[in-house]
Amino acid sequence: MTVNDNTREIEAGIVTDLRDRMTYGGYLELDRLLAAQHPVSVPEHHDELLFIIQHQTSELWMKLVLHEISHVRELLAADKLGEALKPLARVKHIQEVLTQQWSVLATLTPSEYAQFRGSLGNSSGFQSVQYRAIEFSLGNKNAKMLQVFEAEPESHAMLEAELARPTLYDEFLRLLARRGLPVPASILERDVTRAYTMHEELVPVIKEIYDDPSTHWDLYEACEELVDIEDNFQFWRFRHLRVVTRTIGMKIGTGGSSGVGFLQRALELTFFPELFAVRTEIGRA
C-alpha cells in the first residue's frame, strides 16, 4: 500500500547543481532587491515594512511604464501605430496593478501609521521623479517641478530631458497630420516644454475619426486606448486620494503639501482633452 506523504518528487531533468550557473536569484539580483528595505522608526514599527514595499514596488512598475511609453513614442514617430498599440495596452494593465496596490496600503490604519510617520521626515511621494516623468510624458508638464530634484543630479537630468521631449499625445497628433488629417500647425509646432492644453480647433479633427471609424480604424482604436490611459490614471489618483484621506485625514503631507487638498486638485488635470471633448459633439444634430 502506497502512502501519500503530500510531497512532489524532483524530476530527474531538473538542474540542482547551480554552481557556476545563472540562477533565479542571481538574474534578478534578489540579494540586493530584498535587502533594500530599511525601516527608520525606532523602535522599528511592524507596519513600516508594508509602507516601504508598497512604494518600492510602485516605483518598479513606474519604471516599466516609462520604458513602455518611451517605446510607444518611438513607434509613433516611425509611423508604426499598429506596433505601438501593444505596449500601450501593457501600460493599461500596469496601471490597473498600481491602482489595486492601494488596497494593500489601505490596511494601514491611522493609529498604526501615526506610530512611525514622524520618522519619515520630509520624504514624500511628491518627490517621486518617475511619477513626475510619467506625468510629463503624458502632457502634464511643469518646469517648476525640476527644482525639487536640484539636489539629485541624475533625477534632475532625467526630468529635464522628459520636459524637452514631445509627449505621447504630441507624437500621436503628429502621426495624424502625416496621415493627412488637418491638425493645426500651431499644435504641431507648440512648445513641448509646456503643459498640453485644450485646443478647440482640434476637436473637429478628432470627430472625423469617430464619425468614420471604418476608414480610420487604427486611429480610432488608438484614441480609445489613450482615453483608457487617462481614465486609469485618474482612477489611480482618486484611489491615492481616498487612501490618504482614510490614513491621515486632513493633515499636512510629510513633504509640506496640503495633503488631501493637493491630491484633490490633481484630479482636475487632464492629458488628452480633445478626446473627451469630442464626445459632446458626436451624434449632435
Side-chain angles (χ1 to χ4, degrees), residues 135-144 146 159-160 162-170 174 186-187 189-199 270-271:
E135 280 200 323
F136 280 19
S137 74
L138 295 177
N140 286 162
K141 295 190 177 184
N142 183 349
K144 292 180 180 179
L146 268 68
L159 201 58
E160 190 172 39
E162 192 59 62
L163 183 72
R165 186 176 180 182
T167 70
L168 174 61
Y169 199 38
D170 285 321
R174 292 175 182 184
S186 60
I187 299 176
E189 298 166 2
R190 80 180 192 88
D191 181 357
V192 299
T193 66
R194 300 180 67 86
Y196 186 87
T197 57
M198 175 73 179
H199 295 82
T270 183
F271 299 123

PDB file of all heavy atoms in Angstrom, residues 135-144 146 159-160 162-170 174 186-187 189-199 270-271:
ATOM      1  N   GLU A 135       3.948  61.861 -15.680  1.00  0.00           N
ATOM      2  CA  GLU A 135       3.053  62.992 -15.923  1.00  0.00           C
ATOM      3  C   GLU A 135       3.555  63.841 -17.092  1.00  0.00           C
ATOM      4  O   GLU A 135       2.774  64.244 -17.958  1.00  0.00           O
ATOM      5  CB  GLU A 135       2.945  63.872 -14.664  1.00  0.00           C
ATOM      6  CG  GLU A 135       2.010  63.343 -13.612  1.00  0.00           C
ATOM      7  CD  GLU A 135       1.556  64.423 -12.653  1.00  0.00           C
ATOM      8  OE1 GLU A 135       2.375  65.301 -12.315  1.00  0.00           O
ATOM      9  OE2 GLU A 135       0.379  64.395 -12.244  1.00  0.00           O
ATOM     10  N   PHE A 136       4.852  64.109 -17.114  1.00  0.00           N
ATOM     11  CA  PHE A 136       5.428  64.896 -18.208  1.00  0.00           C
ATOM     12  C   PHE A 136       5.224  64.180 -19.543  1.00  0.00           C
ATOM     13  O   PHE A 136       4.875  64.809 -20.546  1.00  0.00           O
ATOM     14  CB  PHE A 136       6.928  65.117 -17.978  1.00  0.00           C
ATOM     15  CG  PHE A 136       7.267  66.218 -17.008  1.00  0.00           C
ATOM     16  CD1 PHE A 136       6.338  66.697 -16.099  1.00  0.00           C
ATOM     17  CD2 PHE A 136       8.536  66.787 -17.001  1.00  0.00           C
ATOM     18  CE1 PHE A 136       6.650  67.715 -15.195  1.00  0.00           C
ATOM     19  CE2 PHE A 136       8.861  67.806 -16.121  1.00  0.00           C
ATOM     20  CZ  PHE A 136       7.932  68.271 -15.217  1.00  0.00           C
ATOM     21  N   SER A 137       5.450  62.884 -19.571  1.00  0.00           N
ATOM     22  CA  SER A 137       5.360  62.124 -20.818  1.00  0.00           C
ATOM     23  C   SER A 137       3.948  62.113 -21.381  1.00  0.00           C
ATOM     24  O   SER A 137       3.753  61.965 -22.590  1.00  0.00           O
ATOM     25  CB  SER A 137       5.846  60.687 -20.603  1.00  0.00           C
ATOM     26  OG  SER A 137       4.900  59.918 -19.874  1.00  0.00           O
ATOM     27  N   LEU A 138       2.961  62.294 -20.492  1.00  0.00           N
ATOM     28  CA  LEU A 138       1.565  62.277 -20.920  1.00  0.00           C
ATOM     29  C   LEU A 138       1.003  63.674 -21.171  1.00  0.00           C
ATOM     30  O   LEU A 138      -0.084  63.815 -21.730  1.00  0.00           O
ATOM     31  CB  LEU A 138       0.714  61.545 -19.885  1.00  0.00           C
ATOM     32  CG  LEU A 138       1.026  60.057 -19.704  1.00  0.00           C
ATOM     33  CD1 LEU A 138       0.155  59.458 -18.595  1.00  0.00           C
ATOM     34  CD2 LEU A 138       0.823  59.280 -21.000  1.00  0.00           C
ATOM     35  N   GLY A 139       1.736  64.714 -20.747  1.00  0.00           N
ATOM     36  CA  GLY A 139       1.293  66.064 -21.062  1.00  0.00           C
ATOM     37  C   GLY A 139       1.205  67.037 -19.914  1.00  0.00           C
ATOM     38  O   GLY A 139       1.126  68.251 -20.130  1.00  0.00           O
ATOM     39  N   ASN A 140       1.211  66.554 -18.659  1.00  0.00           N
ATOM     40  CA  ASN A 140       1.128  67.467 -17.511  1.00  0.00           C
ATOM     41  C   ASN A 140       2.527  67.948 -17.135  1.00  0.00           C
ATOM     42  O   ASN A 140       3.098  67.529 -16.120  1.00  0.00           O
ATOM     43  CB  ASN A 140       0.472  66.779 -16.316  1.00  0.00           C
ATOM     44  CG  ASN A 140      -1.022  66.590 -16.462  1.00  0.00           C
ATOM     45  OD1 ASN A 140      -1.616  65.791 -15.764  1.00  0.00           O
ATOM     46  ND2 ASN A 140      -1.648  67.309 -17.391  1.00  0.00           N
ATOM     47  N   LYS A 141       3.094  68.813 -17.959  1.00  0.00           N
ATOM     48  CA  LYS A 141       4.449  69.308 -17.717  1.00  0.00           C
ATOM     49  C   LYS A 141       4.425  70.561 -16.839  1.00  0.00           C
ATOM     50  O   LYS A 141       3.528  71.393 -16.950  1.00  0.00           O
ATOM     51  CB  LYS A 141       5.154  69.599 -19.037  1.00  0.00           C
ATOM     52  CG  LYS A 141       5.386  68.349 -19.884  1.00  0.00           C
ATOM     53  CD  LYS A 141       6.286  68.616 -21.065  1.00  0.00           C
ATOM     54  CE  LYS A 141       6.561  67.334 -21.841  1.00  0.00           C
ATOM     55  NZ  LYS A 141       7.506  67.539 -22.946  1.00  0.00           N
ATOM     56  N   ASN A 142       5.442  70.657 -15.997  1.00  0.00           N
ATOM     57  CA  ASN A 142       5.577  71.808 -15.112  1.00  0.00           C
ATOM     58  C   ASN A 142       7.055  71.980 -14.797  1.00  0.00           C
ATOM     59  O   ASN A 142       7.621  71.251 -13.981  1.00  0.00           O
ATOM     60  CB  ASN A 142       4.770  71.604 -13.834  1.00  0.00           C
ATOM     61  CG  ASN A 142       4.809  72.799 -12.905  1.00  0.00           C
ATOM     62  OD1 ASN A 142       5.599  73.727 -13.100  1.00  0.00           O
ATOM     63  ND2 ASN A 142       3.985  72.796 -11.876  1.00  0.00           N
ATOM     64  N   ALA A 143       7.694  72.943 -15.460  1.00  0.00           N
ATOM     65  CA  ALA A 143       9.136  73.133 -15.304  1.00  0.00           C
ATOM     66  C   ALA A 143       9.531  73.426 -13.856  1.00  0.00           C
ATOM     67  O   ALA A 143      10.656  73.138 -13.448  1.00  0.00           O
ATOM     68  CB  ALA A 143       9.610  74.263 -16.216  1.00  0.00           C
ATOM     69  N   LYS A 144       8.612  73.988 -13.072  1.00  0.00           N
ATOM     70  CA  LYS A 144       8.926  74.303 -11.677  1.00  0.00           C
ATOM     71  C   LYS A 144       9.219  73.053 -10.854  1.00  0.00           C
ATOM     72  O   LYS A 144       9.870  73.127  -9.814  1.00  0.00           O
ATOM     73  CB  LYS A 144       7.778  75.090 -11.050  1.00  0.00           C
ATOM     74  CG  LYS A 144       7.597  76.491 -11.626  1.00  0.00           C
ATOM     75  CD  LYS A 144       6.440  77.217 -10.950  1.00  0.00           C
ATOM     76  CE  LYS A 144       6.270  78.615 -11.526  1.00  0.00           C
ATOM     77  NZ  LYS A 144       5.127  79.334 -10.890  1.00  0.00           N
ATOM     78  N   LEU A 146      11.216  70.784 -11.532  1.00  0.00           N
ATOM     79  CA  LEU A 146      12.629  70.426 -11.588  1.00  0.00           C
ATOM     80  C   LEU A 146      13.389  70.868 -10.350  1.00  0.00           C
ATOM     81  O   LEU A 146      14.371  70.235  -9.953  1.00  0.00           O
ATOM     82  CB  LEU A 146      13.282  71.026 -12.839  1.00  0.00           C
ATOM     83  CG  LEU A 146      13.293  70.129 -14.082  1.00  0.00           C
ATOM     84  CD1 LEU A 146      11.875  69.945 -14.607  1.00  0.00           C
ATOM     85  CD2 LEU A 146      14.185  70.691 -15.168  1.00  0.00           C
ATOM     86  N   LEU A 159      14.406  64.276 -15.593  1.00  0.00           N
ATOM     87  CA  LEU A 159      13.167  65.036 -15.715  1.00  0.00           C
ATOM     88  C   LEU A 159      13.322  66.186 -16.713  1.00  0.00           C
ATOM     89  O   LEU A 159      12.389  66.505 -17.452  1.00  0.00           O
ATOM     90  CB  LEU A 159      12.747  65.572 -14.347  1.00  0.00           C
ATOM     91  CG  LEU A 159      11.273  65.945 -14.191  1.00  0.00           C
ATOM     92  CD1 LEU A 159      10.371  64.760 -14.489  1.00  0.00           C
ATOM     93  CD2 LEU A 159      10.988  66.481 -12.806  1.00  0.00           C
ATOM     94  N   GLU A 160      14.513  66.770 -16.741  1.00  0.00           N
ATOM     95  CA  GLU A 160      14.776  67.853 -17.696  1.00  0.00           C
ATOM     96  C   GLU A 160      14.686  67.329 -19.131  1.00  0.00           C
ATOM     97  O   GLU A 160      14.140  68.003 -20.018  1.00  0.00           O
ATOM     98  CB  GLU A 160      16.156  68.440 -17.431  1.00  0.00           C
ATOM     99  CG  GLU A 160      16.443  69.715 -18.193  1.00  0.00           C
ATOM    100  CD  GLU A 160      17.750  70.348 -17.748  1.00  0.00           C
ATOM    101  OE1 GLU A 160      18.724  69.602 -17.485  1.00  0.00           O
ATOM    102  OE2 GLU A 160      17.793  71.588 -17.650  1.00  0.00           O
ATOM    103  N   GLU A 162      12.895  64.770 -20.091  1.00  0.00           N
ATOM    104  CA  GLU A 162      11.478  64.481 -20.348  1.00  0.00           C
ATOM    105  C   GLU A 162      10.704  65.761 -20.621  1.00  0.00           C
ATOM    106  O   GLU A 162       9.774  65.779 -21.430  1.00  0.00           O
ATOM    107  CB  GLU A 162      10.874  63.725 -19.165  1.00  0.00           C
ATOM    108  CG  GLU A 162       9.513  63.120 -19.430  1.00  0.00           C
ATOM    109  CD  GLU A 162       9.509  62.141 -20.585  1.00  0.00           C
ATOM    110  OE1 GLU A 162      10.204  61.112 -20.504  1.00  0.00           O
ATOM    111  OE2 GLU A 162       8.820  62.430 -21.600  1.00  0.00           O
ATOM    112  N   LEU A 163      11.093  66.837 -19.964  1.00  0.00           N
ATOM    113  CA  LEU A 163      10.445  68.124 -20.190  1.00  0.00           C
ATOM    114  C   LEU A 163      10.613  68.568 -21.643  1.00  0.00           C
ATOM    115  O   LEU A 163       9.687  69.129 -22.243  1.00  0.00           O
ATOM    116  CB  LEU A 163      11.042  69.178 -19.244  1.00  0.00           C
ATOM    117  CG  LEU A 163      10.422  70.577 -19.303  1.00  0.00           C
ATOM    118  CD1 LEU A 163       9.019  70.564 -18.683  1.00  0.00           C
ATOM    119  CD2 LEU A 163      11.312  71.590 -18.582  1.00  0.00           C
ATOM    120  N   ALA A 164      11.781  68.310 -22.208  1.00  0.00           N
ATOM    121  CA  ALA A 164      12.082  68.763 -23.567  1.00  0.00           C
ATOM    122  C   ALA A 164      11.567  67.818 -24.645  1.00  0.00           C
ATOM    123  O   ALA A 164      11.542  68.183 -25.827  1.00  0.00           O
ATOM    124  CB  ALA A 164      13.596  68.933 -23.716  1.00  0.00           C
ATOM    125  N   ARG A 165      11.132  66.648 -24.258  1.00  0.00           N
ATOM    126  CA  ARG A 165      10.719  65.645 -25.248  1.00  0.00           C
ATOM    127  C   ARG A 165       9.235  65.779 -25.572  1.00  0.00           C
ATOM    128  O   ARG A 165       8.425  66.053 -24.692  1.00  0.00           O
ATOM    129  CB  ARG A 165      11.003  64.243 -24.693  1.00  0.00           C
ATOM    130  CG  ARG A 165      10.755  63.126 -25.681  1.00  0.00           C
ATOM    131  CD  ARG A 165      11.146  61.779 -25.108  1.00  0.00           C
ATOM    132  NE  ARG A 165      10.889  60.718 -26.068  1.00  0.00           N
ATOM    133  CZ  ARG A 165      11.097  59.418 -25.844  1.00  0.00           C
ATOM    134  NH1 ARG A 165      11.569  59.047 -24.660  1.00  0.00           N
ATOM    135  NH2 ARG A 165      10.838  58.515 -26.767  1.00  0.00           N
ATOM    136  N   PRO A 166       8.846  65.586 -26.850  1.00  0.00           N
ATOM    137  CA  PRO A 166       7.418  65.584 -27.191  1.00  0.00           C
ATOM    138  C   PRO A 166       6.672  64.529 -26.372  1.00  0.00           C
ATOM    139  O   PRO A 166       7.198  63.448 -26.101  1.00  0.00           O
ATOM    140  CB  PRO A 166       7.411  65.232 -28.683  1.00  0.00           C
ATOM    141  CG  PRO A 166       8.752  65.662 -29.184  1.00  0.00           C
ATOM    142  CD  PRO A 166       9.700  65.394 -28.043  1.00  0.00           C
ATOM    143  N   THR A 167       5.458  64.852 -25.981  1.00  0.00           N
ATOM    144  CA  THR A 167       4.663  63.922 -25.192  1.00  0.00           C
ATOM    145  C   THR A 167       4.105  62.803 -26.070  1.00  0.00           C
ATOM    146  O   THR A 167       4.193  62.847 -27.298  1.00  0.00           O
ATOM    147  CB  THR A 167       3.484  64.651 -24.525  1.00  0.00           C
ATOM    148  OG1 THR A 167       2.539  65.023 -25.551  1.00  0.00           O
ATOM    149  CG2 THR A 167       3.943  65.882 -23.775  1.00  0.00           C
ATOM    150  N   LEU A 168       3.520  61.828 -25.424  1.00  0.00           N
ATOM    151  CA  LEU A 168       2.843  60.750 -26.144  1.00  0.00           C
ATOM    152  C   LEU A 168       1.771  61.315 -27.071  1.00  0.00           C
ATOM    153  O   LEU A 168       1.644  60.906 -28.234  1.00  0.00           O
ATOM    154  CB  LEU A 168       2.217  59.789 -25.124  1.00  0.00           C
ATOM    155  CG  LEU A 168       1.332  58.661 -25.662  1.00  0.00           C
ATOM    156  CD1 LEU A 168       2.127  57.750 -26.580  1.00  0.00           C
ATOM    157  CD2 LEU A 168       0.726  57.875 -24.505  1.00  0.00           C
ATOM    158  N   TYR A 169       1.016  62.270 -26.580  1.00  0.00           N
ATOM    159  CA  TYR A 169      -0.056  62.883 -27.373  1.00  0.00           C
ATOM    160  C   TYR A 169       0.510  63.708 -28.531  1.00  0.00           C
ATOM    161  O   TYR A 169      -0.032  63.704 -29.639  1.00  0.00           O
ATOM    162  CB  TYR A 169      -0.901  63.763 -26.455  1.00  0.00           C
ATOM    163  CG  TYR A 169      -2.282  64.106 -26.967  1.00  0.00           C
ATOM    164  CD1 TYR A 169      -3.061  63.194 -27.674  1.00  0.00           C
ATOM    165  CD2 TYR A 169      -2.833  65.368 -26.706  1.00  0.00           C
ATOM    166  CE1 TYR A 169      -4.339  63.517 -28.104  1.00  0.00           C
ATOM    167  CE2 TYR A 169      -4.109  65.702 -27.133  1.00  0.00           C
ATOM    168  CZ  TYR A 169      -4.860  64.771 -27.836  1.00  0.00           C
ATOM    169  OH  TYR A 169      -6.129  65.103 -28.260  1.00  0.00           O
ATOM    170  N   ASP A 170       1.627  64.413 -28.293  1.00  0.00           N
ATOM    171  CA  ASP A 170       2.289  65.157 -29.369  1.00  0.00           C
ATOM    172  C   ASP A 170       2.632  64.220 -30.520  1.00  0.00           C
ATOM    173  O   ASP A 170       2.382  64.537 -31.694  1.00  0.00           O
ATOM    174  CB  ASP A 170       3.573  65.830 -28.867  1.00  0.00           C
ATOM    175  CG  ASP A 170       3.310  67.056 -28.005  1.00  0.00           C
ATOM    176  OD1 ASP A 170       2.386  67.822 -28.329  1.00  0.00           O
ATOM    177  OD2 ASP A 170       4.029  67.232 -27.010  1.00  0.00           O
ATOM    178  N   ARG A 174       1.090  64.287 -34.330  1.00  0.00           N
ATOM    179  CA  ARG A 174       1.984  64.397 -35.484  1.00  0.00           C
ATOM    180  C   ARG A 174       1.727  63.268 -36.479  1.00  0.00           C
ATOM    181  O   ARG A 174       1.773  63.480 -37.696  1.00  0.00           O
ATOM    182  CB  ARG A 174       3.447  64.390 -35.019  1.00  0.00           C
ATOM    183  CG  ARG A 174       3.837  65.627 -34.227  1.00  0.00           C
ATOM    184  CD  ARG A 174       5.256  65.543 -33.678  1.00  0.00           C
ATOM    185  NE  ARG A 174       5.579  66.719 -32.873  1.00  0.00           N
ATOM    186  CZ  ARG A 174       6.776  66.945 -32.346  1.00  0.00           C
ATOM    187  NH1 ARG A 174       7.762  66.063 -32.538  1.00  0.00           N
ATOM    188  NH2 ARG A 174       6.991  68.036 -31.627  1.00  0.00           N
ATOM    189  N   SER A 186      -0.298  75.176 -35.398  1.00  0.00           N
ATOM    190  CA  SER A 186       0.035  75.739 -34.089  1.00  0.00           C
ATOM    191  C   SER A 186       0.204  74.647 -33.033  1.00  0.00           C
ATOM    192  O   SER A 186       0.973  74.811 -32.076  1.00  0.00           O
ATOM    193  CB  SER A 186      -1.049  76.728 -33.647  1.00  0.00           C
ATOM    194  OG  SER A 186      -2.316  76.077 -33.558  1.00  0.00           O
ATOM    195  N   ILE A 187      -0.507  73.545 -33.206  1.00  0.00           N
ATOM    196  CA  ILE A 187      -0.380  72.424 -32.269  1.00  0.00           C
ATOM    197  C   ILE A 187       0.876  71.627 -32.572  1.00  0.00           C
ATOM    198  O   ILE A 187       1.630  71.240 -31.667  1.00  0.00           O
ATOM    199  CB  ILE A 187      -1.623  71.520 -32.337  1.00  0.00           C
ATOM    200  CG1 ILE A 187      -2.882  72.310 -31.951  1.00  0.00           C
ATOM    201  CG2 ILE A 187      -1.455  70.295 -31.438  1.00  0.00           C
ATOM    202  CD1 ILE A 187      -4.166  71.526 -32.084  1.00  0.00           C
ATOM    203  N   GLU A 189       3.536  72.644 -33.862  1.00  0.00           N
ATOM    204  CA  GLU A 189       4.742  73.447 -33.606  1.00  0.00           C
ATOM    205  C   GLU A 189       4.777  74.005 -32.190  1.00  0.00           C
ATOM    206  O   GLU A 189       5.599  74.876 -31.877  1.00  0.00           O
ATOM    207  CB  GLU A 189       4.798  74.595 -34.622  1.00  0.00           C
ATOM    208  CG  GLU A 189       4.897  74.113 -36.059  1.00  0.00           C
ATOM    209  CD  GLU A 189       4.602  75.217 -37.077  1.00  0.00           C
ATOM    210  OE1 GLU A 189       4.356  76.374 -36.633  1.00  0.00           O
ATOM    211  OE2 GLU A 189       4.595  74.926 -38.286  1.00  0.00           O
ATOM    212  N   ARG A 190       3.913  73.533 -31.323  1.00  0.00           N
ATOM    213  CA  ARG A 190       3.814  74.091 -29.984  1.00  0.00           C
ATOM    214  C   ARG A 190       5.099  73.860 -29.188  1.00  0.00           C
ATOM    215  O   ARG A 190       5.907  72.974 -29.516  1.00  0.00           O
ATOM    216  CB  ARG A 190       2.627  73.475 -29.241  1.00  0.00           C
ATOM    217  CG  ARG A 190       2.895  72.111 -28.651  1.00  0.00           C
ATOM    218  CD  ARG A 190       1.696  71.532 -27.924  1.00  0.00           C
ATOM    219  NE  ARG A 190       2.096  70.348 -27.144  1.00  0.00           N
ATOM    220  CZ  ARG A 190       2.539  70.402 -25.899  1.00  0.00           C
ATOM    221  NH1 ARG A 190       2.625  71.557 -25.280  1.00  0.00           N
ATOM    222  NH2 ARG A 190       2.899  69.300 -25.268  1.00  0.00           N
ATOM    223  N   ASP A 191       5.283  74.629 -28.135  1.00  0.00           N
ATOM    224  CA  ASP A 191       6.411  74.467 -27.219  1.00  0.00           C
ATOM    225  C   ASP A 191       6.143  73.241 -26.347  1.00  0.00           C
ATOM    226  O   ASP A 191       5.289  73.277 -25.452  1.00  0.00           O
ATOM    227  CB  ASP A 191       6.542  75.726 -26.350  1.00  0.00           C
ATOM    228  CG  ASP A 191       7.710  75.648 -25.374  1.00  0.00           C
ATOM    229  OD1 ASP A 191       8.388  74.608 -25.324  1.00  0.00           O
ATOM    230  OD2 ASP A 191       7.921  76.637 -24.637  1.00  0.00           O
ATOM    231  N   VAL A 192       6.866  72.154 -26.620  1.00  0.00           N
ATOM    232  CA  VAL A 192       6.584  70.892 -25.919  1.00  0.00           C
ATOM    233  C   VAL A 192       7.072  70.894 -24.479  1.00  0.00           C
ATOM    234  O   VAL A 192       6.824  69.934 -23.743  1.00  0.00           O
ATOM    235  CB  VAL A 192       7.181  69.682 -26.670  1.00  0.00           C
ATOM    236  CG1 VAL A 192       6.583  69.564 -28.064  1.00  0.00           C
ATOM    237  CG2 VAL A 192       8.706  69.761 -26.728  1.00  0.00           C
ATOM    238  N   THR A 193       7.761  71.957 -24.054  1.00  0.00           N
ATOM    239  CA  THR A 193       8.177  72.027 -22.648  1.00  0.00           C
ATOM    240  C   THR A 193       7.051  72.542 -21.761  1.00  0.00           C
ATOM    241  O   THR A 193       7.192  72.557 -20.535  1.00  0.00           O
ATOM    242  CB  THR A 193       9.406  72.947 -22.462  1.00  0.00           C
ATOM    243  OG1 THR A 193       9.042  74.296 -22.760  1.00  0.00           O
ATOM    244  CG2 THR A 193      10.555  72.515 -23.355  1.00  0.00           C
ATOM    245  N   ARG A 194       5.953  72.935 -22.361  1.00  0.00           N
ATOM    246  CA  ARG A 194       4.818  73.453 -21.605  1.00  0.00           C
ATOM    247  C   ARG A 194       3.712  72.404 -21.534  1.00  0.00           C
ATOM    248  O   ARG A 194       3.625  71.510 -22.371  1.00  0.00           O
ATOM    249  CB  ARG A 194       4.287  74.739 -22.239  1.00  0.00           C
ATOM    250  CG  ARG A 194       5.346  75.845 -22.295  1.00  0.00           C
ATOM    251  CD  ARG A 194       4.791  77.106 -22.918  1.00  0.00           C
ATOM    252  NE  ARG A 194       3.762  77.703 -22.073  1.00  0.00           N
ATOM    253  CZ  ARG A 194       4.009  78.541 -21.077  1.00  0.00           C
ATOM    254  NH1 ARG A 194       5.250  78.864 -20.773  1.00  0.00           N
ATOM    255  NH2 ARG A 194       3.027  79.052 -20.370  1.00  0.00           N
ATOM    256  N   ALA A 195       2.877  72.524 -20.534  1.00  0.00           N
ATOM    257  CA  ALA A 195       1.761  71.585 -20.377  1.00  0.00           C
ATOM    258  C   ALA A 195       0.829  71.664 -21.580  1.00  0.00           C
ATOM    259  O   ALA A 195       0.576  72.754 -22.114  1.00  0.00           O
ATOM    260  CB  ALA A 195       0.989  71.897 -19.102  1.00  0.00           C
ATOM    261  N   TYR A 196       0.354  70.505 -22.009  1.00  0.00           N
ATOM    262  CA  TYR A 196      -0.596  70.493 -23.115  1.00  0.00           C
ATOM    263  C   TYR A 196      -1.935  71.030 -22.606  1.00  0.00           C
ATOM    264  O   TYR A 196      -2.392  70.661 -21.520  1.00  0.00           O
ATOM    265  CB  TYR A 196      -0.784  69.080 -23.670  1.00  0.00           C
ATOM    266  CG  TYR A 196      -1.655  69.074 -24.909  1.00  0.00           C
ATOM    267  CD1 TYR A 196      -1.100  69.279 -26.162  1.00  0.00           C
ATOM    268  CD2 TYR A 196      -3.031  68.932 -24.813  1.00  0.00           C
ATOM    269  CE1 TYR A 196      -1.893  69.326 -27.300  1.00  0.00           C
ATOM    270  CE2 TYR A 196      -3.834  68.983 -25.939  1.00  0.00           C
ATOM    271  CZ  TYR A 196      -3.261  69.185 -27.175  1.00  0.00           C
ATOM    272  OH  TYR A 196      -4.055  69.239 -28.295  1.00  0.00           O
ATOM    273  N   THR A 197      -2.568  71.886 -23.420  1.00  0.00           N
ATOM    274  CA  THR A 197      -3.861  72.463 -23.056  1.00  0.00           C
ATOM    275  C   THR A 197      -4.862  72.233 -24.173  1.00  0.00           C
ATOM    276  O   THR A 197      -4.495  71.898 -25.301  1.00  0.00           O
ATOM    277  CB  THR A 197      -3.739  73.973 -22.773  1.00  0.00           C
ATOM    278  OG1 THR A 197      -3.180  74.623 -23.924  1.00  0.00           O
ATOM    279  CG2 THR A 197      -2.857  74.237 -21.560  1.00  0.00           C
ATOM    280  N   MET A 198      -6.098  72.443 -23.857  1.00  0.00           N
ATOM    281  CA  MET A 198      -7.193  72.211 -24.796  1.00  0.00           C
ATOM    282  C   MET A 198      -7.094  73.122 -26.029  1.00  0.00           C
ATOM    283  O   MET A 198      -6.825  74.318 -25.916  1.00  0.00           O
ATOM    284  CB  MET A 198      -8.519  72.467 -24.071  1.00  0.00           C
ATOM    285  CG  MET A 198      -9.745  72.384 -24.952  1.00  0.00           C
ATOM    286  SD  MET A 198     -10.122  70.676 -25.389  1.00  0.00           S
ATOM    287  CE  MET A 198     -11.577  70.912 -26.380  1.00  0.00           C
ATOM    288  N   HIS A 199      -7.301  72.523 -27.215  1.00  0.00           N
ATOM    289  CA  HIS A 199      -7.350  73.264 -28.472  1.00  0.00           C
ATOM    290  C   HIS A 199      -8.683  72.941 -29.154  1.00  0.00           C
ATOM    291  O   HIS A 199      -8.864  71.848 -29.692  1.00  0.00           O
ATOM    292  CB  HIS A 199      -6.195  72.871 -29.395  1.00  0.00           C
ATOM    293  CG  HIS A 199      -4.841  73.220 -28.868  1.00  0.00           C
ATOM    294  ND1 HIS A 199      -4.179  72.421 -27.954  1.00  0.00           N
ATOM    295  CD2 HIS A 199      -4.030  74.280 -29.104  1.00  0.00           C
ATOM    296  CE1 HIS A 199      -3.006  72.976 -27.674  1.00  0.00           C
ATOM    297  NE2 HIS A 199      -2.892  74.106 -28.354  1.00  0.00           N
ATOM    298  N   THR A 270      -5.755  67.120 -16.908  1.00  0.00           N
ATOM    299  CA  THR A 270      -6.109  66.195 -17.982  1.00  0.00           C
ATOM    300  C   THR A 270      -4.935  66.049 -18.938  1.00  0.00           C
ATOM    301  O   THR A 270      -4.055  66.918 -19.008  1.00  0.00           O
ATOM    302  CB  THR A 270      -7.350  66.700 -18.741  1.00  0.00           C
ATOM    303  OG1 THR A 270      -7.718  65.743 -19.744  1.00  0.00           O
ATOM    304  CG2 THR A 270      -7.106  68.054 -19.397  1.00  0.00           C
ATOM    305  N   PHE A 271      -4.896  64.958 -19.683  1.00  0.00           N
ATOM    306  CA  PHE A 271      -3.831  64.697 -20.637  1.00  0.00           C
ATOM    307  C   PHE A 271      -4.273  64.921 -22.085  1.00  0.00           C
ATOM    308  O   PHE A 271      -3.575  65.534 -22.868  1.00  0.00           O
ATOM    309  CB  PHE A 271      -3.332  63.256 -20.501  1.00  0.00           C
ATOM    310  CG  PHE A 271      -2.750  62.921 -19.161  1.00  0.00           C
ATOM    311  CD1 PHE A 271      -3.279  61.873 -18.414  1.00  0.00           C
ATOM    312  CD2 PHE A 271      -1.676  63.627 -18.640  1.00  0.00           C
ATOM    313  CE1 PHE A 271      -2.737  61.544 -17.181  1.00  0.00           C
ATOM    314  CE2 PHE A 271      -1.131  63.306 -17.404  1.00  0.00           C
ATOM    315  CZ  PHE A 271      -1.669  62.254 -16.673  1.00  0.00           C
TER     316      PHE A 271
END
